[in-house]
Amino acid sequence: MTATPSRDLTVTEVRLTPVLVADPPLLNTQGVHQPYTPRLIVEVVTADGISGLGETYGDTKYLELARPLADRLVGHRVDDLNRLFAGADEVAVDAARVSGQVDVGGLRGVQTAGKLRLSVLSALEVACLDALGKSLGLPVHALLGGKVRDAVEYSAYLFYKWAEHPEGVPAEKDDWGAAVDPAGVVEQARRFTERYGFTSFKLKGGVFPPEEEIAAVRALAAAFPGHPLRLDPNGAWSVETSLKVAEELGDVLEYLEDPALGTPAMAEVAAGTDVPLATNMCVTTFAEIEEAFTRDAVQVVLSDHHYWGGLRNTQHLAAICRTFGVGVSMHSNTHLGISLAAMTHVASTVPDLHHACDSHYPWQSEDVLTERMTFEDGTVRVSDAPGLGVELDRDRLAFLHRRWLDDDGALRDRDDAAAMRIADPDWVRPAVPRW
Ligand SMILES: [Mg+2]
C-alpha cells in the first residue's frame, strides 16, 4: 500500500491586495457610480507553497476587517474553516461603519457588522478552498460535494447606460454605447446574445419612471419572445406602483426583483400578484429568512456568496430555500473572474437552481487572471481543474493595485451617485419609494 504523501496545509501568509477596476457608466436608482470600483484580491499561501485565490469588496470598511481576519487564519490549516468562521465575531467592527440601514451605496440590503465580516470571510474561504483543491488535485466543486451540472447558466445583465463617464473624469472607454430608452436596451440585449449567447435577460430598473421601464421590458419581450425576463428597480417603487408594474408585465416576467423596499412591503406586493418576487435586498442574512418566508414575501432568493459568507453558506441557504419551497439563484455586483469562478463552482452543486444567475462580468473589461473566464451559449463551463481552475496574472494585479495606490481616496469607496453628481451637480440620492 502506498502512503499518501504528507502535505502541510498550514497557512503561512495571507496576501491582501486592493485594486481598482474599470466600471462603465451603468445607471441604477441611486445614480451612476465612479469609473473604477474597489475590489480586494486575497491570496492564501500554505507551508507547501500552494497559493489559493479569493475576491471580495474592496471598500475601506472591508479592508479594515480583512487584515485582522486574515491574521486569524495564519498558523491554521486551509481545511480549518469552521473554526475561522466560529471565532470571527471576536474581530471588532468599527461601529461607525455599521449603519444598520439599507446599504444604499451597494444596493445589497441592511448593513450589519456580521455581514461585513462575512463579506471578508467569503474571500478567505474561497481562497482556502482553492488552495485545498490544488493541494488535493480536486476542483472546488468536489470539495463542496460535487457538481450536479457541467455548465452554469447566466443571464444577460442589462443596464441603462451612458455612452461614457462625464467629461473630464478619467475613465476607460467601452464599446457598448448608450442605452437610455427601449431601443437602446434591446440593442444592448442583442449584443449580449451575439457575444455570449445569453437567453435570459435582466434589466436594472428604478432609473426612469416605471412607464418607460415597462416599455423597455415590453420591447425586450417583442424582440425575444418567450425568453425569461426580469426587472429590478432596487426597491424604488411603492407597493401600489409595484402592483401596477406586476399587472402590466405579468405575462412576460419570470420574476420581479425587489420592486419595493423591505420585507413588509414585499409581502404586500406578493399578496397582490401572482408574479414571483425575487430579492437580494430584504433577505441578505440568515436572520432575515424567517420573517420573509413566514410572510411569503419572496419566492426567489438571490444568493451572493460574498455577503452570505462563502460557498458553504450559499449551499446552506439553498437548502433552507428548498425546505420552504422558495427558489434560489444568484445576485451579482461588480466582480472579477475569481468570483465568477467561485460562483460557478457553488452554483454547479445546487440541485434546484431553476433561474439563470446574474453576473456583471461581461461589463468588466479588466481582470487579474491570465485567461478571462468565458461564456458559451450563456453558460460558464464548470472547471474540473484543481481548485477554482483560474490563475493569477501578477502583472495585471500589480497594475490594478498601482491604480489603487495612486488614488487620492476618491475611488476607494464605491459611491453609486458619484458620477451622476458630476453630470448633474444638483443630483441628490432619491428618497425611497421614488415612484
Ligand atoms: Mg437586485
Side-chain angles (χ1 to χ4, degrees), residues 189-212:
R190 283 201 197 287
R191 293 182 73 174
F192 264 103
T193 59
E194 285 162 15
R195 290 182 183 188
Y196 308 107
F198 294 120
T199 56
S200 70
F201 304 93
K202 162 175 166 171
L203 174 62
K204 175 61 75 182
V207 174
F208 294 115
E211 306 74 54
E212 293 182 38

Side-chain angles (χ1 to χ4, degrees), residues 265-280:
M266 289 283 280
E268 264 193 80
V269 178
T273 178
D274 291 332
V275 176
L277 303 188
T279 187
N280 66 276

